[in-house]
Amino acid sequence: MKKDKGVIYWLLTGCFLVFVMVVVGGITRLTNSGLSMTDWHLVTDTLPPMSEAKWQQAFEEYKKFPEYQKINIHNDFQLSDYKFIYFWEWFHRFIARILGMVFIIPFVYFLIKKRIDRETLNKCFVLLGMGALQGFFGWYMVKSGLINDPDVSHFRLSLHLTFAFITFAYTLWVALDLIYPERKAVVVPLRKLARVTLVFLLIQIIYGGFVAGLNAGLIHNHWPLMSDGAFFHESIILEKDSWIARFTEGKSGVQFVHRTMAYVVVSLILFLYFKARKFTLTAQQQNGLNALVLIVFIQFTLGVLTLLYGVPLWLGLIHQVVAFFLLTAMTYTLHRFSK
């Protein structure tokens, strides 16, 4: 596999833009801006309304949907408020368009110049499909909040969020394949453990999406126990009738899983770190492990603080950003133990 710096920088730029898009998506969610654009046009909404009349027209269209009719109509919601929430959703979609252009245009150029080998080319086609699917998931998520319930489905939100993380991780993996073209002996025990850790980290990200979608961080703002000094709060049982619903749809149950899974992820990373000490590691492998341990403790602390302070915008956003750094370190470490 040939190391082409141009292709590598292109893929890493894609990683950065996915990161920015998810950060802006987090702001969009935390400011309740995601339902401000009630339709999806590939071309005509590339720019925001350019006149006061166009703004008023968009605002009147927004008034036809549940978020305004059931919530904002009671909050003295004015055009200036609408412009604020519109900006964040528009900016989120705008970055998605930029990301599509940044991927497709250089991809065609590299293809014409024959700078992409067959193995990388197949991976790039996968990335192209993932990008298209992510756009569909975004539309699918927004659609759920424009019918009856003035909020998007937390399942669809988590799907959209988690798939963005997966797309980022896969793009980074493809770039790492080019950065480190050499093949070395696989550290099988550490690779297996790193894979298990990655699975649990992705489950934690899924539940982070559930918590965000249900606003489950606004209850039980205590740590290490939940409300009333309980490890397993009685509201988990009372919220839903079935155990599956309690842990996937109930606010208390979803928060319980998310806060408990944090201990599992920390424990797995520590186990990986200490198990790796039995092996002779490369500098890259050790650096990956060191980064994992450092970032997971920062993320755990941020999670606790986000909960205790009732999810302020800035803290919730930082918590999501560091989750990206944690996935980056996890992907890098797994790659170094696999290749």
Short mmCIF file of all heavy atoms in Angstrom, two decimals, residues 195-240:
data_model
loop_
_atom_site.label_atom_id
_atom_site.label_comp_id
_atom_site.label_asym_id
_atom_site.label_seq_id
_atom_site.Cartn_x
_atom_site.Cartn_y
_atom_site.Cartn_z
N ARG A 195 -10.91 -4.75 20.88
CA ARG A 195 -12.16 -4.84 20.14
C ARG A 195 -13.36 -4.85 21.08
O ARG A 195 -14.37 -4.18 20.83
CB ARG A 195 -12.16 -6.10 19.27
CG ARG A 195 -11.30 -6.00 18.01
CD ARG A 195 -11.28 -7.32 17.26
NE ARG A 195 -10.58 -7.20 15.99
CZ ARG A 195 -10.33 -8.24 15.18
NH1 ARG A 195 -10.73 -9.46 15.53
NH2 ARG A 195 -9.69 -8.05 14.04
N VAL A 196 -13.26 -5.63 22.15
CA VAL A 196 -14.34 -5.68 23.14
C VAL A 196 -14.55 -4.30 23.75
O VAL A 196 -15.69 -3.83 23.92
CB VAL A 196 -14.02 -6.72 24.23
CG1 VAL A 196 -15.03 -6.62 25.38
CG2 VAL A 196 -14.03 -8.12 23.65
N THR A 197 -13.45 -3.63 24.07
CA THR A 197 -13.53 -2.29 24.66
C THR A 197 -14.20 -1.32 23.70
O THR A 197 -15.03 -0.49 24.11
CB THR A 197 -12.12 -1.79 25.02
OG1 THR A 197 -11.49 -2.75 25.86
CG2 THR A 197 -12.20 -0.45 25.75
N LEU A 198 -13.87 -1.41 22.41
CA LEU A 198 -14.48 -0.54 21.41
C LEU A 198 -15.98 -0.78 21.33
O LEU A 198 -16.76 0.18 21.22
CB LEU A 198 -13.84 -0.78 20.04
CG LEU A 198 -14.44 0.00 18.87
CD1 LEU A 198 -14.32 1.50 19.09
CD2 LEU A 198 -13.77 -0.39 17.56
N VAL A 199 -16.40 -2.04 21.40
CA VAL A 199 -17.84 -2.35 21.36
C VAL A 199 -18.56 -1.69 22.53
O VAL A 199 -19.62 -1.06 22.35
CB VAL A 199 -18.06 -3.88 21.38
CG1 VAL A 199 -19.54 -4.20 21.61
CG2 VAL A 199 -17.59 -4.50 20.07
N PHE A 200 -18.00 -1.81 23.72
CA PHE A 200 -18.64 -1.20 24.90
C PHE A 200 -18.60 0.32 24.83
O PHE A 200 -19.52 1.00 25.29
CB PHE A 200 -17.99 -1.71 26.18
CG PHE A 200 -18.52 -3.03 26.63
CD1 PHE A 200 -17.92 -4.22 26.25
CD2 PHE A 200 -19.66 -3.10 27.44
CE1 PHE A 200 -18.43 -5.44 26.66
CE2 PHE A 200 -20.17 -4.31 27.85
CZ PHE A 200 -19.56 -5.49 27.46
N LEU A 201 -17.55 0.87 24.24
CA LEU A 201 -17.49 2.32 24.06
C LEU A 201 -18.59 2.78 23.11
O LEU A 201 -19.24 3.81 23.35
CB LEU A 201 -16.12 2.73 23.53
CG LEU A 201 -15.92 4.22 23.21
CD1 LEU A 201 -16.19 5.07 24.45
CD2 LEU A 201 -14.51 4.46 22.68
N LEU A 202 -18.84 2.03 22.05
CA LEU A 202 -19.90 2.38 21.11
C LEU A 202 -21.28 2.25 21.77
O LEU A 202 -22.18 3.06 21.51
CB LEU A 202 -19.83 1.49 19.87
CG LEU A 202 -18.65 1.79 18.93
CD1 LEU A 202 -18.59 0.75 17.81
CD2 LEU A 202 -18.75 3.19 18.34
N ILE A 203 -21.45 1.24 22.62
CA ILE A 203 -22.71 1.12 23.37
C ILE A 203 -22.90 2.35 24.26
O ILE A 203 -24.00 2.89 24.37
CB ILE A 203 -22.73 -0.17 24.20
CG1 ILE A 203 -22.76 -1.40 23.28
CG2 ILE A 203 -23.94 -0.20 25.15
CD1 ILE A 203 -22.59 -2.73 24.01
N GLN A 204 -21.81 2.79 24.89
CA GLN A 204 -21.88 3.98 25.73
C GLN A 204 -22.25 5.21 24.91
O GLN A 204 -23.01 6.07 25.37
CB GLN A 204 -20.53 4.18 26.44
CG GLN A 204 -20.46 5.40 27.34
CD GLN A 204 -21.31 5.28 28.60
OE1 GLN A 204 -22.31 4.57 28.62
NE2 GLN A 204 -20.91 5.98 29.64
N ILE A 205 -21.72 5.31 23.69
CA ILE A 205 -22.06 6.43 22.81
C ILE A 205 -23.54 6.36 22.42
O ILE A 205 -24.23 7.38 22.38
CB ILE A 205 -21.15 6.42 21.56
CG1 ILE A 205 -19.72 6.78 21.96
CG2 ILE A 205 -21.67 7.40 20.50
CD1 ILE A 205 -18.70 6.57 20.86
N ILE A 206 -24.02 5.16 22.13
CA ILE A 206 -25.45 4.98 21.82
C ILE A 206 -26.30 5.49 22.96
O ILE A 206 -27.27 6.24 22.76
CB ILE A 206 -25.75 3.50 21.52
CG1 ILE A 206 -25.12 3.07 20.20
CG2 ILE A 206 -27.26 3.25 21.50
CD1 ILE A 206 -25.17 1.58 19.94
N TYR A 207 -25.94 5.11 24.19
CA TYR A 207 -26.72 5.54 25.34
C TYR A 207 -26.53 7.03 25.64
O TYR A 207 -27.42 7.67 26.20
CB TYR A 207 -26.41 4.67 26.56
CG TYR A 207 -27.39 3.53 26.68
CD1 TYR A 207 -27.16 2.34 26.01
CD2 TYR A 207 -28.56 3.67 27.41
CE1 TYR A 207 -28.09 1.30 26.06
CE2 TYR A 207 -29.49 2.63 27.48
CZ TYR A 207 -29.25 1.47 26.80
OH TYR A 207 -30.18 0.46 26.86
N GLY A 208 -25.39 7.57 25.24
CA GLY A 208 -25.24 9.02 25.34
C GLY A 208 -26.25 9.72 24.44
O GLY A 208 -26.83 10.76 24.82
N GLY A 209 -26.51 9.13 23.25
CA GLY A 209 -27.54 9.65 22.36
C GLY A 209 -28.92 9.51 22.98
O GLY A 209 -29.76 10.42 22.87
N PHE A 210 -29.19 8.39 23.65
CA PHE A 210 -30.48 8.21 24.33
C PHE A 210 -30.66 9.27 25.42
O PHE A 210 -31.74 9.85 25.56
CB PHE A 210 -30.55 6.82 24.97
CG PHE A 210 -30.74 5.69 23.99
CD1 PHE A 210 -30.68 4.37 24.43
CD2 PHE A 210 -30.97 5.92 22.64
CE1 PHE A 210 -30.88 3.32 23.54
CE2 PHE A 210 -31.16 4.87 21.74
CZ PHE A 210 -31.11 3.57 22.20
N VAL A 211 -29.61 9.49 26.20
CA VAL A 211 -29.69 10.48 27.28
C VAL A 211 -29.98 11.86 26.71
O VAL A 211 -30.82 12.61 27.22
CB VAL A 211 -28.38 10.49 28.10
CG1 VAL A 211 -28.35 11.69 29.05
CG2 VAL A 211 -28.23 9.20 28.90
N ALA A 212 -29.28 12.21 25.61
CA ALA A 212 -29.50 13.51 24.98
C ALA A 212 -30.92 13.62 24.43
O ALA A 212 -31.59 14.64 24.61
CB ALA A 212 -28.47 13.74 23.88
N GLY A 213 -31.37 12.57 23.75
CA GLY A 213 -32.69 12.62 23.12
C GLY A 213 -33.83 12.68 24.10
O GLY A 213 -34.88 13.27 23.81
N LEU A 214 -33.65 12.07 25.27
CA LEU A 214 -34.70 12.05 26.29
C LEU A 214 -34.52 13.16 27.33
O LEU A 214 -35.34 13.26 28.26
CB LEU A 214 -34.72 10.68 27.00
CG LEU A 214 -35.16 9.48 26.16
CD1 LEU A 214 -34.90 8.18 26.92
CD2 LEU A 214 -36.64 9.59 25.79
N ASN A 215 -33.45 13.94 27.20
CA ASN A 215 -33.09 14.93 28.24
C ASN A 215 -32.97 14.26 29.61
O ASN A 215 -33.36 14.82 30.64
CB ASN A 215 -34.14 16.05 28.30
CG ASN A 215 -34.13 16.91 27.04
OD1 ASN A 215 -33.07 17.28 26.55
ND2 ASN A 215 -35.31 17.20 26.50
N ALA A 216 -32.43 13.04 29.59
CA ALA A 216 -32.34 12.26 30.82
C ALA A 216 -31.26 12.76 31.76
O ALA A 216 -31.18 12.31 32.91
CB ALA A 216 -32.09 10.78 30.49
N GLY A 217 -30.42 13.69 31.30
CA GLY A 217 -29.41 14.25 32.19
C GLY A 217 -29.96 15.31 33.12
O GLY A 217 -29.24 15.80 34.01
N LEU A 218 -31.23 15.66 32.96
CA LEU A 218 -31.83 16.70 33.79
C LEU A 218 -32.47 16.14 35.05
O LEU A 218 -33.04 16.90 35.85
CB LEU A 218 -32.89 17.48 32.97
CG LEU A 218 -32.37 18.15 31.69
CD1 LEU A 218 -33.51 18.85 30.97
CD2 LEU A 218 -31.26 19.14 32.01
N ILE A 219 -32.40 14.82 35.25
CA ILE A 219 -32.93 14.21 36.46
C ILE A 219 -31.80 13.46 37.18
O ILE A 219 -30.73 13.24 36.61
CB ILE A 219 -34.07 13.23 36.14
CG1 ILE A 219 -33.58 12.10 35.21
CG2 ILE A 219 -35.24 13.97 35.50
CD1 ILE A 219 -34.61 11.01 34.96
N HIS A 220 -32.04 13.11 38.43
CA HIS A 220 -31.06 12.37 39.24
C HIS A 220 -29.68 13.02 39.17
O HIS A 220 -28.68 12.37 38.87
CB HIS A 220 -30.96 10.91 38.78
CG HIS A 220 -32.27 10.19 38.75
ND1 HIS A 220 -33.10 10.08 39.85
CD2 HIS A 220 -32.92 9.55 37.72
CE1 HIS A 220 -34.18 9.39 39.52
NE2 HIS A 220 -34.10 9.06 38.24
N ASN A 221 -29.64 14.31 39.45
CA ASN A 221 -28.38 15.05 39.33
C ASN A 221 -27.53 14.90 40.58
O ASN A 221 -27.19 15.87 41.26
CB ASN A 221 -28.67 16.53 39.02
CG ASN A 221 -29.42 16.69 37.72
OD1 ASN A 221 -30.59 17.07 37.72
ND2 ASN A 221 -28.78 16.38 36.61
N HIS A 222 -27.22 13.65 40.86
CA HIS A 222 -26.40 13.27 42.02
C HIS A 222 -25.38 12.24 41.57
O HIS A 222 -25.56 11.54 40.57
CB HIS A 222 -27.28 12.69 43.13
CG HIS A 222 -28.40 13.57 43.56
ND1 HIS A 222 -28.26 14.53 44.54
CD2 HIS A 222 -29.69 13.65 43.13
CE1 HIS A 222 -29.42 15.16 44.71
NE2 HIS A 222 -30.30 14.65 43.87
N TRP A 223 -24.30 12.15 42.36
CA TRP A 223 -23.27 11.14 42.09
C TRP A 223 -22.49 10.90 43.39
O TRP A 223 -22.29 11.83 44.17
CB TRP A 223 -22.31 11.64 41.00
CG TRP A 223 -21.31 10.59 40.59
CD1 TRP A 223 -21.50 9.58 39.71
CD2 TRP A 223 -19.98 10.43 41.08
NE1 TRP A 223 -20.38 8.80 39.61
CE2 TRP A 223 -19.42 9.31 40.45
CE3 TRP A 223 -19.20 11.14 42.01
CZ2 TRP A 223 -18.12 8.87 40.72
CZ3 TRP A 223 -17.91 10.71 42.27
CH2 TRP A 223 -17.38 9.58 41.63
N PRO A 224 -22.11 9.64 43.68
CA PRO A 224 -22.14 8.45 42.83
C PRO A 224 -23.50 7.74 42.78
O PRO A 224 -23.69 6.85 41.96
CB PRO A 224 -21.08 7.55 43.45
CG PRO A 224 -21.09 7.92 44.90
CD PRO A 224 -21.35 9.40 44.93
N LEU A 225 -24.42 8.10 43.69
CA LEU A 225 -25.73 7.46 43.70
C LEU A 225 -26.74 8.33 42.98
O LEU A 225 -26.51 9.52 42.75
CB LEU A 225 -26.16 7.19 45.14
CG LEU A 225 -25.20 6.32 45.97
CD1 LEU A 225 -25.68 6.21 47.41
CD2 LEU A 225 -25.07 4.93 45.34
N MET A 226 -27.88 7.74 42.65
CA MET A 226 -28.95 8.50 42.01
C MET A 226 -29.72 9.25 43.09
O MET A 226 -29.25 9.36 44.25
CB MET A 226 -29.85 7.55 41.21
CG MET A 226 -29.11 6.79 40.12
SD MET A 226 -30.12 5.62 39.17
CE MET A 226 -30.97 6.71 38.05
N SER A 227 -30.88 9.76 42.77
CA SER A 227 -31.67 10.52 43.76
C SER A 227 -32.01 9.66 44.96
O SER A 227 -32.12 8.43 44.86
CB SER A 227 -32.96 11.03 43.10
OG SER A 227 -32.67 11.85 42.00
N ASP A 228 -32.20 10.31 46.10
CA ASP A 228 -32.59 9.64 47.35
C ASP A 228 -31.54 8.63 47.81
O ASP A 228 -31.86 7.67 48.53
CB ASP A 228 -33.95 8.94 47.21
CG ASP A 228 -35.04 9.89 46.72
OD1 ASP A 228 -35.06 11.05 47.19
OD2 ASP A 228 -35.86 9.48 45.88
N GLY A 229 -30.30 8.80 47.39
CA GLY A 229 -29.23 7.93 47.84
C GLY A 229 -29.34 6.50 47.33
O GLY A 229 -28.82 5.57 47.96
N ALA A 230 -30.01 6.31 46.20
CA ALA A 230 -30.23 4.96 45.68
C ALA A 230 -29.28 4.68 44.52
O ALA A 230 -29.08 5.53 43.66
CB ALA A 230 -31.67 4.80 45.21
N PHE A 231 -28.71 3.48 44.51
CA PHE A 231 -27.90 3.06 43.37
C PHE A 231 -28.81 2.75 42.18
O PHE A 231 -28.51 3.10 41.04
CB PHE A 231 -27.07 1.84 43.74
CG PHE A 231 -26.34 1.23 42.56
CD1 PHE A 231 -25.22 1.85 42.02
CD2 PHE A 231 -26.78 0.04 41.99
CE1 PHE A 231 -24.55 1.30 40.93
CE2 PHE A 231 -26.13 -0.52 40.91
CZ PHE A 231 -25.01 0.11 40.37
N PHE A 232 -29.94 2.09 42.47
CA PHE A 232 -30.94 1.73 41.45
C PHE A 232 -32.25 2.36 41.88
O PHE A 232 -32.95 1.84 42.74
CB PHE A 232 -31.05 0.20 41.36
CG PHE A 232 -31.92 -0.30 40.23
CD1 PHE A 232 -31.38 -0.52 38.97
CD2 PHE A 232 -33.27 -0.54 40.43
CE1 PHE A 232 -32.17 -0.98 37.93
CE2 PHE A 232 -34.07 -1.01 39.39
CZ PHE A 232 -33.51 -1.22 38.14
N HIS A 233 -32.59 3.51 41.29
CA HIS A 233 -33.73 4.29 41.75
C HIS A 233 -35.05 3.62 41.38
O HIS A 233 -35.19 3.03 40.31
CB HIS A 233 -33.68 5.70 41.16
CG HIS A 233 -34.51 6.68 41.88
ND1 HIS A 233 -35.80 6.99 41.50
CD2 HIS A 233 -34.28 7.41 43.00
CE1 HIS A 233 -36.30 7.89 42.32
NE2 HIS A 233 -35.40 8.16 43.25
N GLU A 234 -36.03 3.74 42.27
CA GLU A 234 -37.32 3.08 42.05
C GLU A 234 -38.06 3.61 40.81
O GLU A 234 -38.88 2.91 40.22
CB GLU A 234 -38.22 3.27 43.27
CG GLU A 234 -38.56 4.72 43.58
CD GLU A 234 -39.48 4.87 44.78
OE1 GLU A 234 -39.78 3.86 45.43
OE2 GLU A 234 -39.90 6.00 45.05
N SER A 235 -37.75 4.82 40.40
CA SER A 235 -38.42 5.39 39.22
C SER A 235 -38.10 4.60 37.96
O SER A 235 -38.85 4.66 36.98
CB SER A 235 -38.02 6.85 39.03
OG SER A 235 -36.61 6.98 38.87
N ILE A 236 -36.99 3.86 37.96
CA ILE A 236 -36.65 3.02 36.81
C ILE A 236 -37.75 1.99 36.58
O ILE A 236 -38.16 1.73 35.44
CB ILE A 236 -35.29 2.31 37.03
CG1 ILE A 236 -34.17 3.34 37.17
CG2 ILE A 236 -35.00 1.32 35.91
CD1 ILE A 236 -32.83 2.75 37.53
N ILE A 237 -38.28 1.43 37.66
CA ILE A 237 -39.34 0.42 37.58
C ILE A 237 -40.68 1.07 37.22
O ILE A 237 -41.46 0.53 36.44
CB ILE A 237 -39.47 -0.35 38.91
CG1 ILE A 237 -38.12 -0.96 39.31
CG2 ILE A 237 -40.56 -1.41 38.81
CD1 ILE A 237 -37.63 -2.02 38.38
N LEU A 238 -40.92 2.24 37.78
CA LEU A 238 -42.24 2.87 37.65
C LEU A 238 -42.48 3.51 36.29
O LEU A 238 -43.62 3.64 35.86
CB LEU A 238 -42.41 3.93 38.76
CG LEU A 238 -42.32 3.42 40.19
CD1 LEU A 238 -42.39 4.58 41.18
CD2 LEU A 238 -43.44 2.41 40.47
N GLU A 239 -41.40 3.91 35.60
CA GLU A 239 -41.56 4.67 34.36
C GLU A 239 -42.18 3.85 33.23
O GLU A 239 -43.02 4.35 32.48
CB GLU A 239 -40.20 5.22 33.89
CG GLU A 239 -39.88 6.58 34.45
CD GLU A 239 -38.63 7.17 33.82
OE1 GLU A 239 -37.63 6.46 33.69
OE2 GLU A 239 -38.69 8.35 33.46
N LYS A 240 -41.77 2.59 33.09
CA LYS A 240 -42.23 1.76 31.98
C LYS A 240 -42.65 0.39 32.49
O LYS A 240 -42.26 -0.04 33.58
CB LYS A 240 -41.13 1.63 30.93
CG LYS A 240 -40.67 2.95 30.32
CD LYS A 240 -41.74 3.59 29.46
CE LYS A 240 -41.28 4.94 28.92
NZ LYS A 240 -42.32 5.58 28.07
#
